[in-house]
Amino acid sequence: TLAAPAIAQSMPKINWRMTSSFPKSLDTIYGGAEVLSQRLSEATDGNFSIQVFAAGEIVGGLQAADAVSDGVVEACHTVGYYYFGKDPTWALPAAVPFSLSARGTNAWHYHGGGIDLYNEFLADKNIYALPGGNTGTQMGGWFRKEINTVEDLKGLKFRVGGFAGKVMEKLGVVPQQIAGGDIYPSLEKGTIDGAEWVGPYDDEKLGFFKVAPYYYYPGWWEGGPTVHFMFGKKAYEELPKAYQSLLKSLCQGVDADMLQKYDYKNPTAIRSLVAQGTQLRPFTPEILDACFKAANEVYAEMSASNPAFAKIWESIKAFRSENYTWAQIAEYNYDTFMMMKQNSGEL
Amino acid sequence: TLAAPAIAQSMPKINWRMTSSFPKSLDTIYGGAEVLSQRLSEATDGNFSIQVFAAGEIVGGLQAADAVSDGVVEACHTVGYYYFGKDPTWALPAAVPFSLSARGTNAWHYHGGGIDLYNEFLADKNIYALPGGNTGTQMGGWFRKEINTVEDLKGLKFRVGGFAGKVMEKLGVVPQQIAGGDIYPSLEKGTIDGAEWVGPYDDEKLGFFKVAPYYYYPGWWEGGPTVHFMFGKKAYEELPKAYQSLLKSLCQGVDADMLQKYDYKNPTAIRSLVAQGTQLRPFTPEILDACFKAANEVYAEMSASNPAFAKIWESIKAFRSENYTWAQIAEYNYDTFMMMKQNSGEL
């Protein structure tokens, strides 16, 4: 027939490898890549397959984007801020201090030009990136002692990465770069005073509550962090149009799915942590204010010397202001009422 | 070749019709069906096509689910609460008073068993439903006069549908069923005292601010309403597995996309409405409390006489309590701090 060859051509066999920045034990965040792979395979009757590798199987978790840039693999699942050291612009659409929450950030990615802005920056690195997961606002981490004042931050050895570390340095914190598996022993021995990871569901698995009882919130450096799928730009552009569209559409669903999974799992985990002795503590307004001021200093410094950074940051900042004006009306008042009812035992 | 027929078979030509409950003028909510149709067509090289019809083109907006049940069309894009009159259970996974917000409801749909529970109820109606959009917390509607006390609700002729109307009746409101296009003249003439629609972006288009200056929040009857895609169960089950999986995956992305679009467009619209003289007013805690109490009475009455209703409501209620415990920790404190900074002009 005439039809068959055309159809066959539209579903060619493609086998890609995707390196994840995460270990398999983190089923939510590692799981996002598996969900994409499964949905893609199902939708194409197995013709477009992406095999997922955990951090360390092909390259280390922090080399995932390099492996895509260099064409070692066609895809990775990673967080842009891991590459902060190359250029802080990498971090902006992932998570930076006092940026958008998950809903705000997704509005910006999908309808505020965020996806295009990031890809404009990534084009000469052979990367095409799409949002591929969100954790929601993270927790502020685990501390061996209470942090009551800005003064208490001075000299504090705190496990935290890139951008947030740079902001905290201004307040005297000594940021520590420590891989996930090494955090627990460091906290236990007192080599470090505190450590941030993700939120209740992931943190409980790593057992930090046993060695650092104070669990602070909110994680002001990750208000709604985006995990990205990054594809080799050339590999993506060589796909048939149908596969390009499919991949893009599927990523948006997988992106949403990760947040939904965290939102379902975190409530049980926070209860469990508290039942096991975890002490919840809010950062004081004084501490948050000092961190906010320090973050703005860092933004000003980086914007002054880095036009690519300035361009994306201005776009985020403009929408951040719009977003936090509207979000405080219907949504915030509804949530506030419902939380009051929860706390008075009426839900 | 041997391969071609197998591949051809996996992408058969399918042409479906989808009737929307919305007019084309509402690009966000009507647009969700168009986005699904386009993504499906692109991913299958045009082999699986869904043609979308606006409300009234095939059947009226409130007959969309019936048209699917009866096999008149293979699909619709609608809101479950439109069918509240048949059985209030229809409304539960869509929106009911004081239920989950958008993030909570999605956690419940996708990871808390919500999708399966709804489809268990819909199975004998020849419907398979998937979430297909969310508006976020809606506004509480437009009023010609201020509503300061519970007393002010007595005798109030308010345009509002199904479930919420039933709750408001307990407080003396006289609910009015009026189609979208007829609301404006009714408000203008004073035939009704108020009307609820969606939120700033959609409401601005209909011009209510010109005839009813007080815009109340929050819309406690729609904390995070879900629009559903409903497919003929038989039609869905006859699809090849690849198409079933594709459709399901695409719907999750389209579901997320609608909320993202509203979240991007509402901030501009609320500013514009206020600039044109709209007066924002919060419902007082006294009014919200009275409505909450009335809603709980309705839930108790319905649960007592309707086991299908009770089963789904118990599932939502259990997660609602979990959700509003966790959401008030990291997420709420982060948002609160950011809103304070917005209001002090620091964002």
PDB file of all heavy atoms in Angstrom, chain A residues 10 39 42 45 99 103 245 252 260 271 289 332 334 336 341 343, chain B residues 10 42 45 99 245 252 260 263 271 289 322 328 332 334 336 341 343:
ATOM      1  N   SER A  10       7.050   7.375  10.292  1.00  0.00           N
ATOM      2  CA  SER A  10       6.737   8.305  11.367  1.00  0.00           C
ATOM      3  C   SER A  10       7.008   7.706  12.742  1.00  0.00           C
ATOM      4  O   SER A  10       6.989   8.418  13.725  1.00  0.00           O
ATOM      5  CB  SER A  10       5.292   8.767  11.257  1.00  0.00           C
ATOM      6  OG  SER A  10       4.432   7.730  11.636  1.00  0.00           O
ATOM      7  N   ARG A  39       5.946   5.926  29.596  1.00  0.00           N
ATOM      8  CA  ARG A  39       4.864   6.532  28.806  1.00  0.00           C
ATOM      9  C   ARG A  39       5.252   6.645  27.333  1.00  0.00           C
ATOM     10  O   ARG A  39       4.428   6.462  26.436  1.00  0.00           O
ATOM     11  CB  ARG A  39       4.512   7.905  29.367  1.00  0.00           C
ATOM     12  CG  ARG A  39       3.859   7.809  30.732  1.00  0.00           C
ATOM     13  CD  ARG A  39       3.506   9.179  31.292  1.00  0.00           C
ATOM     14  NE  ARG A  39       2.867   9.003  32.590  1.00  0.00           N
ATOM     15  CZ  ARG A  39       2.321   9.982  33.297  1.00  0.00           C
ATOM     16  NH1 ARG A  39       2.342  11.223  32.828  1.00  0.00           N
ATOM     17  NH2 ARG A  39       1.748   9.740  34.457  1.00  0.00           N
ATOM     18  N   GLU A  42       5.161   3.142  25.757  1.00  0.00           N
ATOM     19  CA  GLU A  42       3.772   2.701  25.563  1.00  0.00           C
ATOM     20  C   GLU A  42       3.107   3.422  24.388  1.00  0.00           C
ATOM     21  O   GLU A  42       2.406   2.822  23.585  1.00  0.00           O
ATOM     22  CB  GLU A  42       2.952   2.946  26.832  1.00  0.00           C
ATOM     23  CG  GLU A  42       3.233   1.941  27.941  1.00  0.00           C
ATOM     24  CD  GLU A  42       2.448   2.219  29.216  1.00  0.00           C
ATOM     25  OE1 GLU A  42       1.535   3.092  29.186  1.00  0.00           O
ATOM     26  OE2 GLU A  42       2.753   1.584  30.227  1.00  0.00           O
ATOM     27  N   ASP A  45       4.424   2.064  20.998  1.00  0.00           N
ATOM     28  CA  ASP A  45       4.562   0.604  20.872  1.00  0.00           C
ATOM     29  C   ASP A  45       6.009   0.154  20.965  1.00  0.00           C
ATOM     30  O   ASP A  45       6.444  -0.750  20.240  1.00  0.00           O
ATOM     31  CB  ASP A  45       3.958   0.133  19.544  1.00  0.00           C
ATOM     32  CG  ASP A  45       2.467  -0.142  19.679  1.00  0.00           C
ATOM     33  OD1 ASP A  45       2.044  -0.607  20.750  1.00  0.00           O
ATOM     34  OD2 ASP A  45       1.729   0.124  18.717  1.00  0.00           O
ATOM     35  N   SER A  99      12.593  32.808  44.958  1.00  0.00           N
ATOM     36  CA  SER A  99      11.992  32.876  43.625  1.00  0.00           C
ATOM     37  C   SER A  99      10.550  32.357  43.704  1.00  0.00           C
ATOM     38  O   SER A  99       9.939  32.366  44.776  1.00  0.00           O
ATOM     39  CB  SER A  99      12.858  32.075  42.649  1.00  0.00           C
ATOM     40  OG  SER A  99      12.373  32.226  41.327  1.00  0.00           O
ATOM     41  N   ARG A 103       3.631  26.585  41.623  1.00  0.00           N
ATOM     42  CA  ARG A 103       2.610  27.059  40.681  1.00  0.00           C
ATOM     43  C   ARG A 103       3.069  28.273  39.915  1.00  0.00           C
ATOM     44  O   ARG A 103       2.846  28.391  38.707  1.00  0.00           O
ATOM     45  CB  ARG A 103       1.277  27.307  41.395  1.00  0.00           C
ATOM     46  CG  ARG A 103       0.503  25.992  41.509  1.00  0.00           C
ATOM     47  CD  ARG A 103      -0.862  26.123  42.068  1.00  0.00           C
ATOM     48  NE  ARG A 103      -1.695  27.121  41.443  1.00  0.00           N
ATOM     49  CZ  ARG A 103      -2.906  27.425  41.868  1.00  0.00           C
ATOM     50  NH1 ARG A 103      -3.394  26.793  42.919  1.00  0.00           N
ATOM     51  NH2 ARG A 103      -3.619  28.339  41.259  1.00  0.00           N
ATOM     52  N   SER A 245       7.013  16.431  19.227  1.00  0.00           N
ATOM     53  CA  SER A 245       5.786  16.893  19.880  1.00  0.00           C
ATOM     54  C   SER A 245       5.409  15.969  21.034  1.00  0.00           C
ATOM     55  O   SER A 245       5.050  16.425  22.128  1.00  0.00           O
ATOM     56  CB  SER A 245       4.656  16.971  18.857  1.00  0.00           C
ATOM     57  OG  SER A 245       3.437  17.242  19.495  1.00  0.00           O
ATOM     58  N   GLN A 252       5.478  17.529  30.026  1.00  0.00           N
ATOM     59  CA  GLN A 252       4.623  18.395  30.835  1.00  0.00           C
ATOM     60  C   GLN A 252       3.794  17.586  31.830  1.00  0.00           C
ATOM     61  O   GLN A 252       3.578  18.007  32.969  1.00  0.00           O
ATOM     62  CB  GLN A 252       3.710  19.259  29.955  1.00  0.00           C
ATOM     63  CG  GLN A 252       3.046  20.397  30.726  1.00  0.00           C
ATOM     64  CD  GLN A 252       2.272  21.346  29.844  1.00  0.00           C
ATOM     65  OE1 GLN A 252       2.051  21.067  28.663  1.00  0.00           O
ATOM     66  NE2 GLN A 252       1.860  22.470  30.391  1.00  0.00           N
ATOM     67  N   GLN A 260       2.716  16.110  42.138  1.00  0.00           N
ATOM     68  CA  GLN A 260       1.513  15.457  42.668  1.00  0.00           C
ATOM     69  C   GLN A 260       1.896  14.306  43.601  1.00  0.00           C
ATOM     70  O   GLN A 260       1.257  14.081  44.630  1.00  0.00           O
ATOM     71  CB  GLN A 260       0.646  14.982  41.496  1.00  0.00           C
ATOM     72  CG  GLN A 260       0.012  16.172  40.761  1.00  0.00           C
ATOM     73  CD  GLN A 260      -0.310  15.917  39.304  1.00  0.00           C
ATOM     74  OE1 GLN A 260      -0.059  14.838  38.765  1.00  0.00           O
ATOM     75  NE2 GLN A 260      -0.847  16.926  38.638  1.00  0.00           N
ATOM     76  N   ARG A 271       4.145  13.642  59.356  1.00  0.00           N
ATOM     77  CA  ARG A 271       3.558  13.078  60.589  1.00  0.00           C
ATOM     78  C   ARG A 271       4.480  12.034  61.205  1.00  0.00           C
ATOM     79  O   ARG A 271       4.662  11.978  62.423  1.00  0.00           O
ATOM     80  CB  ARG A 271       2.233  12.376  60.262  1.00  0.00           C
ATOM     81  CG  ARG A 271       1.042  13.286  60.237  1.00  0.00           C
ATOM     82  CD  ARG A 271      -0.251  12.455  60.163  1.00  0.00           C
ATOM     83  NE  ARG A 271      -1.353  13.298  59.733  1.00  0.00           N
ATOM     84  CZ  ARG A 271      -2.013  14.114  60.547  1.00  0.00           C
ATOM     85  NH1 ARG A 271      -1.707  14.171  61.836  1.00  0.00           N
ATOM     86  NH2 ARG A 271      -3.005  14.859  60.082  1.00  0.00           N
ATOM     87  N   ASP A 289      14.517  37.720  56.723  1.00  0.00           N
ATOM     88  CA  ASP A 289      14.809  39.068  56.207  1.00  0.00           C
ATOM     89  C   ASP A 289      16.289  39.226  55.847  1.00  0.00           C
ATOM     90  O   ASP A 289      16.625  39.775  54.798  1.00  0.00           O
ATOM     91  CB  ASP A 289      14.448  40.132  57.259  1.00  0.00           C
ATOM     92  CG  ASP A 289      13.039  40.667  57.049  1.00  0.00           C
ATOM     93  OD1 ASP A 289      12.554  40.610  55.907  1.00  0.00           O
ATOM     94  OD2 ASP A 289      12.436  41.131  58.025  1.00  0.00           O
ATOM     95  N   TYR A 332      -4.844  32.182  48.677  1.00  0.00           N
ATOM     96  CA  TYR A 332      -4.256  32.267  50.011  1.00  0.00           C
ATOM     97  C   TYR A 332      -5.331  32.347  51.096  1.00  0.00           C
ATOM     98  O   TYR A 332      -5.215  31.740  52.150  1.00  0.00           O
ATOM     99  CB  TYR A 332      -3.348  33.495  50.080  1.00  0.00           C
ATOM    100  CG  TYR A 332      -2.528  33.598  51.333  1.00  0.00           C
ATOM    101  CD1 TYR A 332      -1.391  32.815  51.503  1.00  0.00           C
ATOM    102  CD2 TYR A 332      -2.874  34.491  52.347  1.00  0.00           C
ATOM    103  CE1 TYR A 332      -0.620  32.920  52.645  1.00  0.00           C
ATOM    104  CE2 TYR A 332      -2.106  34.597  53.493  1.00  0.00           C
ATOM    105  CZ  TYR A 332      -0.976  33.812  53.640  1.00  0.00           C
ATOM    106  OH  TYR A 332      -0.218  33.925  54.773  1.00  0.00           O
ATOM    107  N   TYR A 334      -8.366  31.189  50.866  1.00  0.00           N
ATOM    108  CA  TYR A 334      -9.017  29.875  50.941  1.00  0.00           C
ATOM    109  C   TYR A 334      -8.159  28.926  51.779  1.00  0.00           C
ATOM    110  O   TYR A 334      -8.650  28.287  52.715  1.00  0.00           O
ATOM    111  CB  TYR A 334      -9.209  29.318  49.526  1.00  0.00           C
ATOM    112  CG  TYR A 334      -9.990  28.028  49.489  1.00  0.00           C
ATOM    113  CD1 TYR A 334     -11.374  28.033  49.633  1.00  0.00           C
ATOM    114  CD2 TYR A 334      -9.349  26.815  49.322  1.00  0.00           C
ATOM    115  CE1 TYR A 334     -12.098  26.851  49.603  1.00  0.00           C
ATOM    116  CE2 TYR A 334     -10.067  25.624  49.285  1.00  0.00           C
ATOM    117  CZ  TYR A 334     -11.444  25.647  49.430  1.00  0.00           C
ATOM    118  OH  TYR A 334     -12.157  24.480  49.397  1.00  0.00           O
ATOM    119  N   THR A 336      -5.850  29.604  53.934  1.00  0.00           N
ATOM    120  CA  THR A 336      -5.758  30.044  55.330  1.00  0.00           C
ATOM    121  C   THR A 336      -6.979  29.571  56.125  1.00  0.00           C
ATOM    122  O   THR A 336      -6.852  29.036  57.230  1.00  0.00           O
ATOM    123  CB  THR A 336      -5.658  31.581  55.409  1.00  0.00           C
ATOM    124  OG1 THR A 336      -4.495  31.983  54.693  1.00  0.00           O
ATOM    125  CG2 THR A 336      -5.558  32.058  56.851  1.00  0.00           C
ATOM    126  N   LYS A 341      -9.305  25.590  59.992  1.00  0.00           N
ATOM    127  CA  LYS A 341     -10.270  24.523  60.297  1.00  0.00           C
ATOM    128  C   LYS A 341      -9.535  23.214  60.614  1.00  0.00           C
ATOM    129  O   LYS A 341      -9.963  22.451  61.478  1.00  0.00           O
ATOM    130  CB  LYS A 341     -11.223  24.308  59.104  1.00  0.00           C
ATOM    131  CG  LYS A 341     -12.211  25.455  58.913  1.00  0.00           C
ATOM    132  CD  LYS A 341     -13.203  25.508  60.059  1.00  0.00           C
ATOM    133  CE  LYS A 341     -13.939  26.826  60.132  1.00  0.00           C
ATOM    134  NZ  LYS A 341     -14.641  27.031  61.396  1.00  0.00           N
ATOM    135  N   ASN A 343      -6.591  23.022  61.959  1.00  0.00           N
ATOM    136  CA  ASN A 343      -5.952  23.164  63.261  1.00  0.00           C
ATOM    137  C   ASN A 343      -6.945  23.175  64.424  1.00  0.00           C
ATOM    138  O   ASN A 343      -6.578  22.895  65.554  1.00  0.00           O
ATOM    139  CB  ASN A 343      -5.066  24.415  63.270  1.00  0.00           C
ATOM    140  CG  ASN A 343      -3.922  24.270  62.280  1.00  0.00           C
ATOM    141  OD1 ASN A 343      -3.636  23.164  61.799  1.00  0.00           O
ATOM    142  ND2 ASN A 343      -3.251  25.359  61.962  1.00  0.00           N
TER     143      ASN A 343
ATOM    144  N   SER B  10      -0.678  -0.292  14.668  1.00  0.00           N
ATOM    145  CA  SER B  10      -0.621   0.359  15.971  1.00  0.00           C
ATOM    146  C   SER B  10      -1.033   1.831  15.882  1.00  0.00           C
ATOM    147  O   SER B  10      -1.246   2.463  16.901  1.00  0.00           O
ATOM    148  CB  SER B  10       0.772   0.227  16.561  1.00  0.00           C
ATOM    149  OG  SER B  10       1.677   1.058  15.865  1.00  0.00           O
ATOM    150  N   GLU B  42      -0.626  15.708  16.567  1.00  0.00           N
ATOM    151  CA  GLU B  42       0.812  15.819  16.274  1.00  0.00           C
ATOM    152  C   GLU B  42       1.554  14.536  16.625  1.00  0.00           C
ATOM    153  O   GLU B  42       2.420  14.083  15.873  1.00  0.00           O
ATOM    154  CB  GLU B  42       1.429  16.985  17.064  1.00  0.00           C
ATOM    155  CG  GLU B  42       1.068  18.352  16.497  1.00  0.00           C
ATOM    156  CD  GLU B  42       1.640  19.509  17.310  1.00  0.00           C
ATOM    157  OE1 GLU B  42       2.454  19.264  18.241  1.00  0.00           O
ATOM    158  OE2 GLU B  42       1.265  20.659  17.031  1.00  0.00           O
ATOM    159  N   ASP B  45       0.858  11.761  13.994  1.00  0.00           N
ATOM    160  CA  ASP B  45       0.888  12.176  12.578  1.00  0.00           C
ATOM    161  C   ASP B  45      -0.514  12.290  11.989  1.00  0.00           C
ATOM    162  O   ASP B  45      -0.752  11.898  10.837  1.00  0.00           O
ATOM    163  CB  ASP B  45       1.710  11.172  11.759  1.00  0.00           C
ATOM    164  CG  ASP B  45       3.186  11.550  11.742  1.00  0.00           C
ATOM    165  OD1 ASP B  45       3.489  12.761  11.751  1.00  0.00           O
ATOM    166  OD2 ASP B  45       4.023  10.643  11.734  1.00  0.00           O
ATOM    167  N   SER B  99     -13.474  21.894  49.750  1.00  0.00           N
ATOM    168  CA  SER B  99     -12.709  20.690  49.438  1.00  0.00           C
ATOM    169  C   SER B  99     -11.255  21.086  49.187  1.00  0.00           C
ATOM    170  O   SER B  99     -10.795  22.127  49.652  1.00  0.00           O
ATOM    171  CB  SER B  99     -13.346  19.996  48.230  1.00  0.00           C
ATOM    172  OG  SER B  99     -12.701  18.765  47.971  1.00  0.00           O
ATOM    173  N   SER B 245      -2.817   4.616  26.308  1.00  0.00           N
ATOM    174  CA  SER B 245      -1.745   5.160  27.138  1.00  0.00           C
ATOM    175  C   SER B 245      -1.434   6.602  26.738  1.00  0.00           C
ATOM    176  O   SER B 245      -1.281   7.481  27.592  1.00  0.00           O
ATOM    177  CB  SER B 245      -0.488   4.294  26.993  1.00  0.00           C
ATOM    178  OG  SER B 245       0.601   4.911  27.630  1.00  0.00           O
ATOM    179  N   GLN B 252      -2.919  14.340  31.339  1.00  0.00           N
ATOM    180  CA  GLN B 252      -2.273  14.859  32.551  1.00  0.00           C
ATOM    181  C   GLN B 252      -1.502  16.152  32.254  1.00  0.00           C
ATOM    182  O   GLN B 252      -1.503  17.076  33.062  1.00  0.00           O
ATOM    183  CB  GLN B 252      -1.334  13.801  33.155  1.00  0.00           C
ATOM    184  CG  GLN B 252      -0.861  14.182  34.558  1.00  0.00           C
ATOM    185  CD  GLN B 252      -0.068  13.073  35.243  1.00  0.00           C
ATOM    186  OE1 GLN B 252       0.321  12.097  34.613  1.00  0.00           O
ATOM    187  NE2 GLN B 252       0.154  13.218  36.538  1.00  0.00           N
ATOM    188  N   GLN B 260      -1.749  26.328  34.683  1.00  0.00           N
ATOM    189  CA  GLN B 260      -0.578  27.179  34.431  1.00  0.00           C
ATOM    190  C   GLN B 260      -0.973  28.429  33.635  1.00  0.00           C
ATOM    191  O   GLN B 260      -0.472  29.521  33.873  1.00  0.00           O
ATOM    192  CB  GLN B 260       0.489  26.353  33.698  1.00  0.00           C
ATOM    193  CG  GLN B 260       1.110  25.296  34.628  1.00  0.00           C
ATOM    194  CD  GLN B 260       1.640  24.062  33.932  1.00  0.00           C
ATOM    195  OE1 GLN B 260       1.599  23.946  32.698  1.00  0.00           O
ATOM    196  NE2 GLN B 260       2.155  23.125  34.700  1.00  0.00           N
ATOM    197  N   ASP B 263      -2.864  30.689  35.968  1.00  0.00           N
ATOM    198  CA  ASP B 263      -1.930  31.298  36.920  1.00  0.00           C
ATOM    199  C   ASP B 263      -1.108  32.400  36.247  1.00  0.00           C
ATOM    200  O   ASP B 263      -0.661  33.335  36.914  1.00  0.00           O
ATOM    201  CB  ASP B 263      -0.993  30.231  37.513  1.00  0.00           C
ATOM    202  CG  ASP B 263      -1.679  29.391  38.580  1.00  0.00           C
ATOM    203  OD1 ASP B 263      -2.754  29.787  39.073  1.00  0.00           O
ATOM    204  OD2 ASP B 263      -1.139  28.321  38.936  1.00  0.00           O
ATOM    205  N   ARG B 271      -5.321  43.066  38.240  1.00  0.00           N
ATOM    206  CA  ARG B 271      -4.852  44.457  38.234  1.00  0.00           C
ATOM    207  C   ARG B 271      -5.750  45.326  37.353  1.00  0.00           C
ATOM    208  O   ARG B 271      -6.097  46.445  37.702  1.00  0.00           O
ATOM    209  CB  ARG B 271      -3.435  44.538  37.655  1.00  0.00           C
ATOM    210  CG  ARG B 271      -2.361  44.309  38.654  1.00  0.00           C
ATOM    211  CD  ARG B 271      -0.989  44.632  38.038  1.00  0.00           C
ATOM    212  NE  ARG B 271       0.066  44.018  38.825  1.00  0.00           N
ATOM    213  CZ  ARG B 271       0.543  44.529  39.958  1.00  0.00           C
ATOM    214  NH1 ARG B 271       0.063  45.660  40.419  1.00  0.00           N
ATOM    215  NH2 ARG B 271       1.484  43.912  40.625  1.00  0.00           N
ATOM    216  N   ASP B 289     -17.468  30.805  58.170  1.00  0.00           N
ATOM    217  CA  ASP B 289     -17.819  29.809  59.188  1.00  0.00           C
ATOM    218  C   ASP B 289     -19.236  29.282  59.005  1.00  0.00           C
ATOM    219  O   ASP B 289     -19.481  28.078  59.103  1.00  0.00           O
ATOM    220  CB  ASP B 289     -17.710  30.430  60.592  1.00  0.00           C
ATOM    221  CG  ASP B 289     -16.353  30.165  61.214  1.00  0.00           C
ATOM    222  OD1 ASP B 289     -15.717  29.163  60.839  1.00  0.00           O
ATOM    223  OD2 ASP B 289     -15.940  30.977  62.060  1.00  0.00           O
ATOM    224  N   GLU B 322      -4.958  15.555  55.855  1.00  0.00           N
ATOM    225  CA  GLU B 322      -3.511  15.355  55.714  1.00  0.00           C
ATOM    226  C   GLU B 322      -2.880  16.521  54.956  1.00  0.00           C
ATOM    227  O   GLU B 322      -1.838  17.050  55.326  1.00  0.00           O
ATOM    228  CB  GLU B 322      -3.239  14.064  54.917  1.00  0.00           C
ATOM    229  CG  GLU B 322      -3.638  12.788  55.626  1.00  0.00           C
ATOM    230  CD  GLU B 322      -2.731  12.524  56.816  1.00  0.00           C
ATOM    231  OE1 GLU B 322      -1.511  12.429  56.622  1.00  0.00           O
ATOM    232  OE2 GLU B 322      -3.261  12.433  57.939  1.00  0.00           O
ATOM    233  N   GLN B 328       0.619  23.710  55.383  1.00  0.00           N
ATOM    234  CA  GLN B 328       0.794  24.917  56.196  1.00  0.00           C
ATOM    235  C   GLN B 328       2.218  25.062  56.746  1.00  0.00           C
ATOM    236  O   GLN B 328       2.522  26.059  57.396  1.00  0.00           O
ATOM    237  CB  GLN B 328      -0.220  24.940  57.339  1.00  0.00           C
ATOM    238  CG  GLN B 328       0.000  23.937  58.419  1.00  0.00           C
ATOM    239  CD  GLN B 328      -1.120  23.968  59.465  1.00  0.00           C
ATOM    240  OE1 GLN B 328      -1.051  24.672  60.451  1.00  0.00           O
ATOM    241  NE2 GLN B 328      -2.158  23.196  59.233  1.00  0.00           N
ATOM    242  N   TYR B 332       3.240  27.222  52.904  1.00  0.00           N
ATOM    243  CA  TYR B 332       2.471  28.375  53.362  1.00  0.00           C
ATOM    244  C   TYR B 332       3.370  29.453  53.969  1.00  0.00           C
ATOM    245  O   TYR B 332       3.170  30.644  53.759  1.00  0.00           O
ATOM    246  CB  TYR B 332       1.441  27.907  54.400  1.00  0.00           C
ATOM    247  CG  TYR B 332       0.448  28.962  54.819  1.00  0.00           C
ATOM    248  CD1 TYR B 332      -0.631  29.279  54.008  1.00  0.00           C
ATOM    249  CD2 TYR B 332       0.573  29.619  56.040  1.00  0.00           C
ATOM    250  CE1 TYR B 332      -1.560  30.238  54.399  1.00  0.00           C
ATOM    251  CE2 TYR B 332      -0.353  30.566  56.438  1.00  0.00           C
ATOM    252  CZ  TYR B 332      -1.420  30.875  55.614  1.00  0.00           C
ATOM    253  OH  TYR B 332      -2.334  31.812  56.008  1.00  0.00           O
ATOM    254  N   TYR B 334       6.497  29.948  53.247  1.00  0.00           N
ATOM    255  CA  TYR B 334       7.247  30.553  52.143  1.00  0.00           C
ATOM    256  C   TYR B 334       6.382  31.598  51.445  1.00  0.00           C
ATOM    257  O   TYR B 334       6.791  32.739  51.239  1.00  0.00           O
ATOM    258  CB  TYR B 334       7.683  29.468  51.152  1.00  0.00           C
ATOM    259  CG  TYR B 334       8.582  29.983  50.055  1.00  0.00           C
ATOM    260  CD1 TYR B 334       9.923  30.236  50.302  1.00  0.00           C
ATOM    261  CD2 TYR B 334       8.093  30.212  48.767  1.00  0.00           C
ATOM    262  CE1 TYR B 334      10.762  30.705  49.299  1.00  0.00           C
ATOM    263  CE2 TYR B 334       8.924  30.692  47.766  1.00  0.00           C
ATOM    264  CZ  TYR B 334      10.252  30.934  48.037  1.00  0.00           C
ATOM    265  OH  TYR B 334      11.078  31.405  47.047  1.00  0.00           O
ATOM    266  N   THR B 336       3.746  33.135  52.504  1.00  0.00           N
ATOM    267  CA  THR B 336       3.423  34.261  53.387  1.00  0.00           C
ATOM    268  C   THR B 336       4.563  35.284  53.398  1.00  0.00           C
ATOM    269  O   THR B 336       4.332  36.495  53.278  1.00  0.00           O
ATOM    270  CB  THR B 336       3.167  33.757  54.826  1.00  0.00           C
ATOM    271  OG1 THR B 336       2.085  32.827  54.791  1.00  0.00           O
ATOM    272  CG2 THR B 336       2.816  34.907  55.765  1.00  0.00           C
ATOM    273  N   LYS B 341       6.699  40.543  51.398  1.00  0.00           N
ATOM    274  CA  LYS B 341       7.711  41.303  50.644  1.00  0.00           C
ATOM    275  C   LYS B 341       7.070  42.001  49.438  1.00  0.00           C
ATOM    276  O   LYS B 341       7.440  43.125  49.086  1.00  0.00           O
ATOM    277  CB  LYS B 341       8.836  40.372  50.171  1.00  0.00           C
ATOM    278  CG  LYS B 341       9.719  39.865  51.294  1.00  0.00           C
ATOM    279  CD  LYS B 341      10.528  41.004  51.896  1.00  0.00           C
ATOM    280  CE  LYS B 341      11.111  40.656  53.241  1.00  0.00           C
ATOM    281  NZ  LYS B 341      11.614  41.811  53.982  1.00  0.00           N
ATOM    282  N   ASN B 343       3.993  43.047  49.330  1.00  0.00           N
ATOM    283  CA  ASN B 343       3.163  44.140  49.830  1.00  0.00           C
ATOM    284  C   ASN B 343       3.982  45.303  50.387  1.00  0.00           C
ATOM    285  O   ASN B 343       3.482  46.431  50.461  1.00  0.00           O
ATOM    286  CB  ASN B 343       2.177  43.615  50.872  1.00  0.00           C
ATOM    287  CG  ASN B 343       1.188  42.636  50.242  1.00  0.00           C
ATOM    288  OD1 ASN B 343       1.091  42.554  49.010  1.00  0.00           O
ATOM    289  ND2 ASN B 343       0.482  41.883  51.059  1.00  0.00           N
TER     290      ASN B 343
END
